[in-house]
Amino acid sequence: MPEAAAVRAPGGAQAVQRALDVLHCFHDNGPDLSASDLARRLGLSSSTAHRLARTLLGAGFLEQDVRTSRYRLGPAVTELGRLSYHQRGLHLAAPELTDLAERTGATADLALRSGPHAVIVAGGSVTPKVGLRRPLHSTALGKVLLAWARPGEGGPSSLPPLPAFTDRTIVEPAALEAELAKVRSDAYALNDGESAPGVRTLAVPVLDGTGHARFALAVRATPSAITDERTDWFLAQARSCALALEVLLLSPAERRPPTP
C-alpha cells in the first residue's frame, strides 16, 4: 500500500467534512497551498491539515509539487468535473452561449446554485484566472437562482451575512426580499454595479417544468453597452437562448410544456 494511502485520517463524518473543507480551500484559483495555509484557513492544527492533505493526495484529489511541497487539486477532481460537465449536457450549451455572446457583444455565462453561491459552469467567464463562484445577493445570476429557487435550496434567510462589494450592494435581508419580488415580477434580474463598479449584467432563468430555475443565464457588459434603451433587446436575446437551453439541458419530462 502506498505511504500516502496508509496515512490514518480522523474518523467518522467529521473527517469527511474536513476533507471536503480542504478541497473547498482551492475555489479561488489562487496559488498552490501549503499544509500550513490549509491549517490557517480551516482553523485546524498543522498536523491535522497535513494528515488530511496526505489522505487526499493518496486518493488523487490533491497533487503535490515536488519542489515546493505545496498542494493543488488533483486528477480525480478533474475527472469528476469532466464527467459532471458531460452528464449535465453542459458541452451542448457552449455553442449557444458563444452565439449569444457574438450577437450581443457581451459576455454570456451559465450558472447553477451551490449553497450561497452561483457557480458559473459554462460561458465566457470560465477561464483559468477567474474564480467561478459568485455571491447570490450581489449578482444577477444569483438573484435569479434565489428568485426561482428549487425546493430545499433556501431563500435569503438561508444566506450568511451579506457583504458589501460596492456602495450599491444590497446588504439587508428585507431589501433583498423586495428585490427578489421585483425580479419575479419583471422576469429578469439586474446587477448594476453591485459586484464591481462599471459592470452591468442582465440574467434570466432556465426554468424546468415546475417553474424552478435549473440554471441562470446572464449577459454582462458595461453600462454604456447595456443601456436602459437597449435592455429589452438584450433580454430578448437572452430569453431566446434560455429557451434553447431548456431543450438542450433538460429531459423531456423535466421541461415546461410548450407555449401554445
Side-chain angles (χ1 to χ4, degrees), residues 26-124:
F26 294 87
H27 268 306
D28 296 333
N29 289 353
D32 297 349
L33 301 175
S34 66
S36 59
D37 292 330
L38 295 172
R40 184 169 57 256
R41 291 189 179 199
L42 298 175
L44 299 174
S45 68
S46 294
S47 59
T48 298
H50 179 75
R51 288 199 305 272
L52 288 166
R54 295 293 293 175
T55 301
L56 291 167
L57 178 68
F61 286 91
L62 293 181
E63 62 183 15
Q64 191 173 34
D65 189 309
V66 295
R67 297 175 296 104
T68 65
S69 297
R70 299 173 76 86
Y71 297 96
R72 64 176 69 93
L73 293 176
V77 176
T78 303
E79 179 184 6
L80 292 175
R82 294 297 295 174
L83 283 172
S84 176
Y85 183 81
H86 283 273
Q87 286 173 351
R88 291 178 180 273
L90 293 170
H91 59 294
L92 302 174
E96 296 292 335
L97 297 174
T98 298
D99 180 64
L100 177 61
E102 289 177 349
R103 281 187 284 116
T104 60
T107 298
D109 288 322
L110 187 70
L112 50 75
R113 182 172 174 179
S114 178
H117 296 98
V119 179
I120 297 175
V121 292

Side-chain angles (χ1 to χ4, degrees), residues 93-161:
E96 296 292 335
L97 297 174
T98 298
D99 180 64
L100 177 61
E102 289 177 349
R103 281 187 284 116
T104 60
T107 298
D109 288 322
L110 187 70
L112 50 75
R113 182 172 174 179
S114 178
H117 296 98
V119 179
I120 297 175
V121 292
S125 291
V126 181
T127 66
K129 294 184 179 181
V130 179
L132 304 182
R133 296 194 303 169
R134 302 288 189 273
L136 292 176
H137 71 288
S138 65
T139 59
L141 288 167
K143 291 177 189 177
V144 161
L145 294 169
L146 280 170
W148 288 277
R150 301 174 67 189
E153 287 182 330
S157 62
S158 69
L159 301 180

